[in-house]
């Protein structure tokens, strides 16, 4: 069940990051928002679930998954930014 939940949450995060990246105009805030919004959303969901089920040490329980979530968000956002830069880069054609 944990593996299924991890897969679903990663898929949802990916969709959110891609949507934010597509929606915002190119600026320094775009990669920050693309990573930060899904991380905060997942942190809130994780916290709420742990509160509901009565986890005694929520911070300690969330630490490792949050490290993974933040790392994934950073790596994927960098990938999105690089993909957009390479797509927007002008191609030079030599004429003879």
């Amino acid at each position: 069940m944990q593996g299924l939940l991890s897969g679903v949450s990663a898929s949802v995060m990916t969709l959110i990051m891609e949507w934010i990246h597509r929606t915002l105009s190119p600026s320094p805030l775009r990669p920050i928002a693309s990573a930060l919004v899904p991380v905060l959303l997942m942190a809130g969901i994780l916290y709420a679930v742990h509160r509901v089920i009565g986890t005694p040490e929520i911070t300690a329980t969330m630490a490792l998954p949050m490290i993974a979530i933040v790392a994934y968000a950073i790596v994927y956002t960098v990938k999105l930014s690089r993909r957009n830069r390479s797509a927007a880069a002008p191609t030079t054609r030599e004429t003879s």
Side-chain angles (χ1 to χ4, degrees):
M1 187 54 133
Q2 182 63 39
L4 177 64
L5 289 173
S6 294
V8 169
S9 64
S11 297
V12 169
M13 276 187 63
T14 302
L15 291 172
I16 293 169
M17 285 186 281
E18 289 176 352
W19 179 78
I20 291 170
H21 203 80
R22 268 194 324 269
T23 304
L24 294 178
S25 60
S27 75
L29 290 179
R30 182 164 74 171
I32 294 168
S34 295
L36 189 60
V37 169
V39 165
L40 293 176
L41 179 65
M42 293 308 297
I45 291 170
L46 278 174
Y47 181 80
V49 168
H50 284 294
R51 285 288 293 199
V52 167
I53 65 174
T55 302
E57 295 290 330
I58 294 175
T59 305
T61 303
M62 286 180 55
L64 187 59
M66 286 308 301
I67 290 169
I69 287 168
V70 169
Y72 176 72
I74 290 169
V75 169
Y76 197 75
T77 300
V78 168
K79 179 182 171 185
L80 285 173
S81 295
R82 285 184 179 162
R83 185 171 55 188
N84 279 6
R85 264 187 265 140
S86 66
T91 57
T92 56
R93 179 178 278 183
E94 291 186 29
T95 57
S96 26

